[in-house]
């Protein structure tokens, strides 16, 4: 159902621009933003990591046609440095890239594998109370036999940063069930100031990575580090799981599709319609066809073949089952 626009203050949007897959996804994001949120007046900032000691090669967008297409869609490509992570943990681009945003101005970060399907100005952001995506499975922590449980693991992190653990819990959920504990997907997050948010996010991620509590010794932090630190940041800044009403982001207004086979398999007809509409202009098509999964899925019809494998009303409960079906039929690409 379409939502009416609110009197939302202007804010900036950040996505990450990186060579390879992300640069093409950034074009789709920018095109869908311009098509479906015409009243957005903030800056669309494509934060671009720069070469340095933590990158084995140059991570910048090299194709002139990609850069020109992004700029034609109103995006600003702004450089940032990677003093702590870089190639060792590229998911931290969303952390270190916050330094590219103007201090003191509200922002929303989105992963590039997101489409804007509605009016972002209708989203009732409270930028004083940060939050993030709740479209998440219980991917972390993974409990070991005879090891610490959810409570012990999460409490050790809150204690490390002198945060109140009890107030972060959802007491409507059972003890030792993952949904009881504050946990987000890092596909989007927002706050009133990128400097405050970014500095805290960087500190927490750095300290967890290099000085983790003993309760985390058996836990993998790759690729989960950003999603382990994120709820601590949000809680420390007065936000939480209920700061943003459901149904807007990861709902009517945006879709975090993640990979094109998954998009065609499980997302709504509206999402597919937006994808194919914004990818159709010749000047955009010419650039996107350089990326093989987009060429095959969008322009050569493989996406529709994936879509025909699934009943969207009765999808498998676990994402892995969807992936396995696509792979079994020879349509998996990333």
């Amino acid at each position: 159902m379409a939502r009416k626009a609110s009197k939302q203050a202007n804010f900036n949007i950040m996505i990450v621009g990186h060579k390879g897959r992300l640069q093409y996804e950034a074009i789709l994001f920018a095109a869908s933003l311009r098509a479906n949120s015409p009243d957005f007046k903030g800056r669309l900032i494509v934060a671009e990591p720069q070469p340095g000691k933590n990158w084995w090669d140059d991570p910048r967008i090299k194709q002139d046609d990609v850069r020109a297409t992004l700029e034609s869609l109103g995006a600003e490509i702004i450089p940032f440095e990677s003093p702590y992570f870089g190639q060792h943990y590229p998911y931290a681009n969303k952390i270190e890239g916050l330094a590219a945003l103007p201090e003191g101005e509200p922002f929303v970060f989105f992963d590039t594998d997101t489409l804007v399907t509605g009016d972002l100005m209708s989203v009732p952001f409270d930028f004083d109370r940060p939050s993030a995506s709740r479209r998440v499975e219980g991917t972390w922590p993974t409990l070991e036999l005879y090891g610490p449980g959810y409570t012990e693991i999460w409490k050790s992190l809150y204690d490390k940063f002198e945060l109140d653990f009890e107030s972060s819990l959802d007491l409507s959920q059972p003890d030792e069930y993952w949904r009881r504990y504050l946990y987000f997907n890092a596909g989007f997050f927002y706050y009133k100031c990128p400097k405050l948010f970014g500095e805290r996010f960087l500190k927490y991620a750095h300290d967890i990575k290099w000085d983790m509590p003993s309760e985390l010794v058996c836990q993998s932090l790759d690729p989960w580090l950003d999603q382990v630190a994120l709820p601590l940041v949000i809680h420390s800044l007065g936000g939480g799981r209920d700061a943003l009403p459901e149904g807007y982001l990861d709902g009517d207004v945006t879709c975090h599709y993640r990979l094109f086979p998954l998009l065609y398999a499980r997302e709504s007809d509206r999402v597919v319609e937006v994808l194919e509409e914004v990818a159709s202009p010749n000047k955009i098509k010419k650039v996107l066809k350089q990326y093989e999964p987009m060429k095959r899925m969008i322009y050569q019809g493989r996406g529709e073949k994936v879509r025909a494998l699934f009943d969207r009303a009765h999808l498998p409960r676990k994402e892995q089952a969807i992936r396995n079906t696509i792979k079994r039929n020879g349509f998996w690409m990333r």
Side-chain angles (χ1 to χ4, degrees):
M1 183 175 67
R3 296 178 183 270
K4 294 181 180 179
S6 64
K7 293 182 180 179
Q8 181 59 263
N10 280 339
F11 54 90
N12 299 316
I13 292 174
M14 172 187 148
I15 59 176
V16 171
H18 189 290
K19 72 174 185 179
R21 172 173 59 90
L22 269 64
Q23 64 186 346
Y24 300 109
E25 291 174 346
I27 290 173
L28 284 175
F29 179 92
S32 66
L33 172 67
R34 298 309 174 198
N36 296 308
S37 193
D39 293 329
F40 174 71
K41 305 300 183 188
R43 298 168 64 188
L44 171 57
I45 294 175
V46 179
E48 182 187 50
Q50 302 299 290
K53 64 177 183 178
N54 287 324
W55 290 103
W56 305 333
D57 55 11
D58 190 342
R60 291 175 295 184
I61 299 170
K62 294 184 175 63
Q63 287 93 326
D64 291 340
D65 55 356
V66 172
R67 301 181 79 91
T69 302
L70 284 168
E71 290 168 356
S72 74
L73 292 165
E76 303 175 51
I77 302 172
I78 307 294
F80 72 90
E81 302 297 329
S82 306
Y84 296 103
F85 290 101
Q87 196 84 41
H88 306 288
Y89 186 70
Y91 297 97
N93 281 336
K94 67 182 65 176
I95 303 174
E96 294 181 305
L98 291 169
L101 274 62
E103 181 178 355
E105 296 183 14
F107 77 93
V108 185
F109 165 84
F110 288 104
D111 274 342
T112 52
D113 50 359
T114 300
L115 288 172
V116 179
T117 56
D119 184 5
L120 272 176
M121 301 310 290
S122 72
V123 181
F125 293 110
D126 178 354
F127 286 104
D128 291 324
R129 296 190 64 219
S131 194
S133 174
R134 296 182 64 193
R135 188 179 182 182
V136 64
E137 296 182 353
T139 48
W140 193 93
T142 301
L143 302 190
E144 301 287 337
L145 187 64
Y146 307 120
Y150 284 99
T151 295
E152 194 173 350
I153 290 169
W154 278 114
K155 188 175 186 302
S156 71
L157 289 164
Y158 283 78
D159 289 347
K160 177 177 180 61
F161 298 108
E162 300 182 346
L163 302 174
D164 180 62
F165 173 64
E166 296 298 327
S167 62
S168 73
L169 300 175
D170 180 353
L171 299 180
S172 69
Q173 301 290 340
D175 191 30
E176 291 301 313
Y177 176 54
W178 71 270
R179 288 193 181 277
R180 184 179 178 92
Y181 310 90
L182 199 61
Y183 190 53
F184 299 104
N185 184 294
F188 77 78
F189 51 82
Y190 61 88
Y191 189 52
K192 64 183 179 182
C193 176
K195 179 177 172 59
L196 292 173
F197 196 98
E199 288 180 349
R200 190 159 303 183
F201 204 175
L202 183 58
K203 173 178 171 51
Y204 286 6
H206 177 277
D207 290 359
I208 293 168
K209 173 71 173 176
W210 282 286
D211 186 25
M212 69 174 66
S214 60
E215 289 82 356
L216 272 64
V217 167
C218 294
Q219 296 298 323
S220 172
L221 293 175
D222 190 358
W224 313 117
L225 179 60
D226 59 333
Q227 294 190 178
V228 175
L230 183 58
L232 306 173
V233 176
I234 287 172
H235 186 66
S236 74
L237 294 171
R241 59 176 62 82
D242 299 321
L244 182 68
E246 294 185 12
Y248 290 91
L249 304 189
D250 294 332
D252 290 348
V253 178
T254 65
C255 172
H256 184 201
Y257 58 87
R258 298 188 39 223
L259 295 165
F260 290 99
L262 292 177
L263 185 157
Y264 279 100
R266 66 186 179 185
E267 303 300 347
S268 69
D269 290 347
R270 169 62 179 163
V271 172
V272 175
E273 176 188 349
V274 168
L275 170 65
E276 296 184 347
E277 282 184 357
V278 301
S280 65
N282 285 332
K283 64 181 181 180
I284 290 178
K285 182 190 301 186
K286 182 179 179 181
V287 178
L288 296 185
K289 286 176 76 172
Q290 298 175 70
Y291 179 54
E292 195 72 8
M294 290 186 185
K295 178 181 177 181
R296 300 293 185 194
M297 288 283 163
I298 302 172
Y299 300 112
Q300 295 184 350
R302 187 174 291 186
E304 288 304 320
K305 293 178 180 178
V306 171
R307 197 158 183 79
L309 296 174
F310 298 92
D311 176 359
R312 251 71 55 201
H314 300 92
L315 286 170
R317 189 170 61 89
K318 292 286 188 179
E319 180 183 298
Q320 190 58 51
I322 299 175
R323 289 173 176 248
N324 290 343
T325 297
I326 299 170
K327 290 175 182 178
R328 194 162 54 244
N329 285 272
F331 296 140
W332 184 255
M333 302 185 78
R334 62 171 306 159

